[in-house]
Amino acid sequence: MLTTRRSRPAASEWIAPIAILPLLLIPALAPTPADGADDAPATFRAGFAEADVSPKVGDEAPGGYGKARLTAFHDACKARAAVFDDGAGPVAIVGLDALLIRKPQVIEARRRITARTGIPGERVMIAASHTHAGGPTGMILPGEFDSASELIRELAYEKTVVGAPDYLEKVVEGIATAVAAAHAARVDAKAVAGQGKAEGVAFNRRFRMRSGFTMTHPGVGNPDILGPAGGIDPQVGVLGAWNAAGDCLGVVVNFACHATTGPPGISADYVEHVERTIRGALGDGCVVVFTAGMAGDVTQVNNRNPHAYAQFGNVAARRLGAAVGAAAATALLALEPSAAPLLPLAARSQTLEIPRRVPSPQRVARALTLVQAGPEAKVDPTEWTFAKELVLLDARLQQEPIAPVEVQAIQVGPAVFLSCPAEYFVDYGLELKAAGPFPVTFPVSLANDCIGYVPTEDAMGPRGGGYETRLTSYSNLVPTAGRTICDALKGLAAELTPGPVPLPAPAPPFQGQPWSYGNLPPELD
Ligand SMILES: [Zn+2]
């Protein structure tokens, strides 16, 4: 057998350098900011906190391609933060109850977080839950089209939902406040990472049709449906932490479903019930940080539902949220006996440059004619809206033909969060989970920016189509974008070495003494 193992030096060689150079050796033994399994940090601390970022009644309501307003209050929208610290390189995960968050707000929130906690920006993941009942964080940002023509400015600012400066500041400050509070609240902790399952509550919304292509939401009971055009992911990812006294500090939950149940008014959508259910089982002090999985094509609506029941509103929010929360709580309580420090911590971030699709000049010209037509032209409102979107895309292409796309990996022991800023299709999330090398993978969508829908290549191909593949100022990356992002995320995960999965301590050996009440044959008389 060949061996290249180095033998231990003789005792005299071994001791001498240590005796002579103790001061030089000490720094090498201290933890370094560089992450990696070999550093074997000695501590594991966790902190959780949340901040209210509810918008006001009357604020603009993003979620569609036209103007809308928030008309009532239902439940709080929050910035929810988890900080994990190995004594050398902390990482932060933020779940934000918002439709989306754009890059300028992520940059500013990270800047404030670094200033207040020292955590570098690339070690902070800020992910939107995609609640469609949240505040005006987009679609368009104030000032985004200031250098464009008067027509473009009117289409962008008067005909599309625009982020509100005061609300954007509230969100940025809320995120920074929550992370700083979570950082300040760090205590020695034990944690687990794993999965539960919530089945029958989330459905793919895209279907192969008899026509030969794919439709989004073809309508409940549509007889032309052949079958779903993509998968679902019923796994509920959980990463929960407890303090030394056994109190739940918080949990990060990961689930792939659009937050479109639409309770009446401002709301975190079904996340409200995820939080209620987990707190019911693990205690009111447990902070619930929700991260949306790759849910670009997944919804609570069952287009093949044979029964008549509410698929929207409070009832639907509770049905979905309680199912996800119960699956999370069940998994956490089952895993709790194995809770231990989850190490190592690590983070990677990379910015891809992905081109946008370019509509033909003829198509842009037709769209321009349509949006400029007066009311007497009686243009179909949907047709007008998508024409408006095409004209705005043309303006966006003048400014930014290539989209910067941040992909990020944050490792907590045997678990990894893999994020992109897209409404990314669930089949990529499933692929990331299957690819490894981590035993627990949390795919996170709409993180650190928003680049709209990124469908699979199949959805962009001849059998594809539907809503998510429409060309708009919001969704417009080239058809290969999905593959590029997936491969980049796999590459980031492959750079990291998963930590061990903690196992519960083995039961003590048999003590030689059965229970004295239970060691008898049946007493028959
Ligand atoms: Zn969406």
Side-chain angles (χ1 to χ4, degrees):
M1 187 173 83
L2 286 173
T3 176
T4 54
R5 220 183 311 165
R6 288 167 60 186
S7 59
R8 183 175 165 167
S12 57
E13 300 171 65
W14 181 245
I15 292 166
I18 296 175
I20 295 165
L21 301 169
L23 294 175
L24 292 177
L25 287 171
I26 286 168
L29 298 173
T32 67
D35 48 48
D38 294 340
D39 296 328
T43 64
F44 178 75
R45 292 195 293 165
F48 290 77
E50 60 184 38
D52 190 303
V53 294
S54 300
K56 302 188 301 291
V57 171
D59 281 352
E60 290 200 44
Y65 287 113
K67 283 275 188 205
R69 298 265 170 197
L70 296 162
T71 56
F73 180 87
H74 186 270
D75 59 271
C77 292
K78 302 176 182 178
R80 309 150 182 272
V83 170
F84 303 101
D85 189 0
D86 60 7
V91 295
I93 312 277
V94 179
L96 176 69
D97 296 331
L99 182 80
L100 53 86
I101 183 162
R102 297 280 305 273
K103 196 58 151 185
Q105 284 68 50
V106 170
I107 290 171
E108 178 57 19
R110 282 174 164 171
R111 189 191 67 75
R112 294 184 196 182
I113 289 165
T114 304
R116 295 176 198 176
T117 67
I119 305 174
E122 68 272 14
R123 297 177 77 88
V124 179
M125 180 180 287
I126 302 171
S129 68
H130 205 45
T131 173
H132 281 52
T137 51
M139 317 286 280
I140 283 169
L141 292 180
E144 193 167 2
F145 286 100
D146 278 6
S147 60
S149 70
E150 196 183 329
L151 172 68
I152 296 295
R153 293 202 303 275
E154 188 198 333
L155 295 176
Y157 302 149
E158 307 301 328
K159 307 291 184 187
T160 313
V161 171
V162 185
D166 60 342
Y167 185 66
L168 291 167
E169 168 55 28
K170 181 173 184 174
V171 166
V172 167
E173 185 54 27
I175 292 168
T177 300
V179 175
H183 185 260
R186 285 165 302 151
V187 291
D188 288 337
K190 293 179 175 181
V192 296
Q195 299 99 354
K197 210 172 233 189
E199 290 185 294
V201 290
F203 308 88
N204 200 287
R205 68 189 197 182
R206 296 168 48 78
F207 291 88
R208 304 263 189 237
M209 306 299 290
R210 290 190 199 285
S211 60
F213 66 97
T214 299
M215 276 189 188
T216 306
H217 283 308
V220 176
N222 188 325
D224 292 333
I225 292 176
L226 293 178
I232 53 165
D233 183 358
Q235 274 191 351
V236 179
V238 289
L239 199 168
W242 291 262
N243 66 14
D247 304 319
C248 175
L249 298 170
V251 52
V252 186
V253 179
N254 179 248
F255 187 68
C257 186
H258 256 74
T260 44
T261 63
I266 292 160
S267 174
D269 205 272
Y270 74 90
V271 176
E272 179 202 2
H273 295 282
V274 175
E275 179 185 83
R276 279 175 186 272
T277 308
I278 290 174
R279 286 185 168 171
L282 281 93
D284 287 340
C286 186
V287 175
V288 176
V289 179
F290 180 84
T291 58
M294 306 314 188
D297 51 347
V298 181
T299 170
Q300 85 281 358
V301 176
N302 181 2
N303 278 273
R304 293 184 295 174
N305 189 3
H307 306 293
Y309 64 74
Q311 305 220 53
F312 292 96
N314 268 333
V315 174
R318 185 178 292 111
R319 182 189 305 127
L320 172 57
V324 173
T330 303
L332 287 162
L333 291 169
L335 290 165
E336 188 184 0
S338 61
L342 290 187
L343 296 167
L345 305 180
R348 297 284 185 278
S349 172
Q350 181 188 354
T351 298
L352 312 171
E353 296 195 329
I354 302 183
R356 301 180 192 277
R357 309 202 290 282
V358 180
S360 71
Q362 296 81 356
R363 199 172 164 210
V364 175
R366 276 201 307 275
L368 202 54
T369 307
L370 230 151
V371 295
Q372 289 175 307
E376 69 284 356
K378 292 190 176 141
V379 177
D380 173 74
T382 303
E383 208 182 328
W384 189 92
T385 297
F386 283 97
K388 180 258 297 180
E389 282 296 313
L390 211 71
V391 172
L392 285 178
L393 168 62
D394 185 58
R396 191 180 292 288
L397 283 163
Q398 315 297 321
Q399 299 181 6
E400 194 186 61
I402 310 280
V405 177
E406 181 182 347
V407 289
Q408 189 184 28
I410 289 188
Q411 173 184 3
V412 182
V416 69
F417 295 84
L418 297 177
S419 79
C420 72
E423 291 201 57
Y424 203 37
F425 274 27
V426 69
D427 285 347
Y428 286 124
L430 295 169
E431 185 177 332
L432 290 168
K433 287 184 175 184
F438 281 81
V440 182
T441 300
F442 303 111
V444 181
S445 63
L446 289 166
N448 304 322
D449 197 4
C450 180
I451 53 164
Y453 287 102
V454 173
T456 56
E457 289 151 300
D458 177 69
M460 300 297 285
R463 295 196 308 160
Y467 167 66
E468 304 83 356
T469 55
R470 292 194 79 144
L471 189 51
T472 67
S473 74
Y474 175 70
S475 299
N476 48 54
L477 299 192
V478 292
T480 51
R483 174 54 41 206
T484 303
I485 291 169
C486 191
D487 288 347
L489 286 171
K490 284 189 203 170
L492 292 183
E495 286 177 22
L496 304 170
T497 305
V501 177
L503 296 171
F510 180 56
Q511 303 294 311
Q513 196 61 273
W515 184 30
S516 61
Y517 284 19
N519 58 359
L520 296 172
E523 294 181 332
L524 301 177
D525 50 35

